[in-house]
Amino acid sequence: MPKAETRGLADTLKVLSDPNRLMILELLMQGVQCNCELGDKLGLPMNLISHHLKVLREAGLVDAERDPVDARWVYYSINTRLLARLRDELYAFLDPERIVPRLPTCGPRIASVEALRALRA
Amino acid sequence: MPKAETRGLADTLKVLSDPNRLMILELLMQGVQCNCELGDKLGLPMNLISHHLKVLREAGLVDAERDPVDARWVYYSINTRLLARLRDELYAFLDPERIVPRLPTCGPRIASVEALRALRA
DNA sequence: GATATACTACAATTGTTGTTGAACTAGTTT
DNA sequence: AAACTAGTTCAACAACAATTGTAGTATATC
């Protein structure tokens, strides 16, 4: 896992690490789409919702689209591709099978371990 | 998805939303275990590693164990169960299949949608 | 007992972030 | 044109978090 990838993943996780934003995502998944109704359901002012939506949009997790009939309304939706990619990435990263039992390169028993290795070689 | 659950998940994600902590987790998965070597590999001072390890420990993601031979050394390891649980939780939450196409309860077309519903009923 | 080692804890600094309130756009209705 | 509606942006603030440096703890070695 390269260091650059780690940065990107951490940035995305930071976006998700807010309860209000998680709830917004949850509501968007359930089909709710406009700022006002998100605010109603969460009991939060519209400007705060707008702020969090902007963060989600800048992370690419959420898309915005204006209503063609009444352009005052904006409908938000989830970027399915990015969501799926993030899901896969996290699923791979958090895989418990990946864990290596123990790889001692440090500590008091190193000397004897090294001696064993030398013997075997 | 209840609001309390959202809080807990957000807290855990906040712990993960730091590149250094992600790298520490990655190294722990690869079998590295002591503070000093983590610091070496990441080019970070020991007290900073210690700080991040504490955050990871308080979140339950990482366990600590003293060396029985030389108790100055502490070996850190990943809490496999919690990791697996988090993985499952995220995998379920981020499922793109869950997304409902559109559920208009807001916007200019509501009136006509409601009329259609009334007609069908 | 004095020194060294591995690590932890505290204090201070800096930067970031969630929230709030007010002002501002852009579009619609009357 | 005036009033209204949906939403955004700006400024300010308090709370938090990452990093750094220093001091402290516990254990081991000489």
Side-chain angles (χ1 to χ4, degrees):
Chain A
M1 159 120 352
K3 208 160 65 177
E5 246 179 78
T6 309
R7 263 204 107 69
L9 184 55
D11 286 343
T12 308
L13 290 174
K14 180 154 276 170
V15 171
L16 294 181
S17 71
D18 179 274
N20 286 335
R21 281 198 287 269
L22 280 184
M23 282 306 296
I24 289 175
L25 275 184
E26 175 69 19
L27 288 173
L28 288 181
M29 285 194 185
Q30 290 170 12
V32 180
Q33 285 199 326
C34 71
N35 187 323
C36 61
E37 197 175 11
L38 289 169
D40 283 351
K41 297 219 174 194
L42 296 176
L44 298 173
M46 208 159 37
N47 52 358
L48 187 51
I49 301 286
S50 190
H51 163 67
H52 286 308
L53 282 170
K54 187 181 181 186
V55 176
L56 288 167
R57 244 183 315 135
E58 284 174 348
L61 289 165
V62 163
D63 294 321
E65 185 195 3
R66 288 205 168 266
D67 190 308
V69 175
D70 186 337
R72 285 175 300 183
W73 299 76
V74 180
Y75 301 122
Y76 295 94
S77 57
I78 290 192
N79 185 331
T80 311
R81 279 183 206 164
L82 206 71
L83 194 82
R85 185 141 61 92
L86 175 63
R87 184 163 103 129
D88 294 343
E89 202 174 347
L90 283 173
Y91 198 71
F93 179 76
L94 298 174
D95 185 4
E97 305 273 342
R98 276 178 56 217
I99 299 174
V100 176
R102 171 133 171 66
L103 208 112
T105 55
C106 226
R109 279 166 295 188
I110 289 294
S112 48
V113 170
E114 288 299 326
L116 260 173
R117 275 190 192 146
L119 271 177
R120 280 180 195 153
Chain B
M1 160 122 349
K3 206 159 65 177
E5 245 180 78
T6 309
R7 261 204 108 69
L9 184 55
D11 286 343
T12 308
L13 289 175
K14 181 155 274 170
V15 171
L16 294 180
S17 71
D18 180 274
N20 287 335
R21 281 198 286 268
L22 279 184
M23 281 306 296
I24 289 175
L25 276 184
E26 176 69 20
L27 288 173
L28 289 181
M29 286 193 184
Q30 291 170 12
V32 180
Q33 285 198 329
C34 70
N35 188 323
C36 62
E37 198 175 12
L38 290 169
D40 283 351
K41 297 219 175 196
L42 296 177
L44 297 173
M46 207 160 38
N47 50 1
L48 187 51
I49 300 287
S50 189
H51 162 68
H52 286 308
L53 282 170
K54 187 182 180 184
V55 176
L56 288 167
R57 244 182 316 134
E58 284 173 347
L61 289 165
V62 163
D63 294 322
E65 185 195 3
R66 290 205 167 265
D67 189 309
V69 175
D70 186 337
R72 286 174 301 181
W73 299 77
V74 180
Y75 302 122
Y76 297 95
S77 57
I78 291 193
N79 185 332
T80 311
R81 278 184 206 163
L82 206 71
L83 193 82
R85 186 142 60 93
L86 175 63
R87 182 164 104 128
D88 293 344
E89 202 173 348
L90 283 172
Y91 198 70
F93 178 76
L94 298 174
D95 185 3
E97 305 274 341
R98 278 178 55 219
I99 299 175
V100 176
R102 172 132 171 67
L103 209 112
T105 54
C106 225
R109 280 167 293 188
I110 290 292
S112 48
V113 170
E114 288 299 327
L116 260 173
R117 276 192 190 144
L119 271 176
R120 281 181 195 154

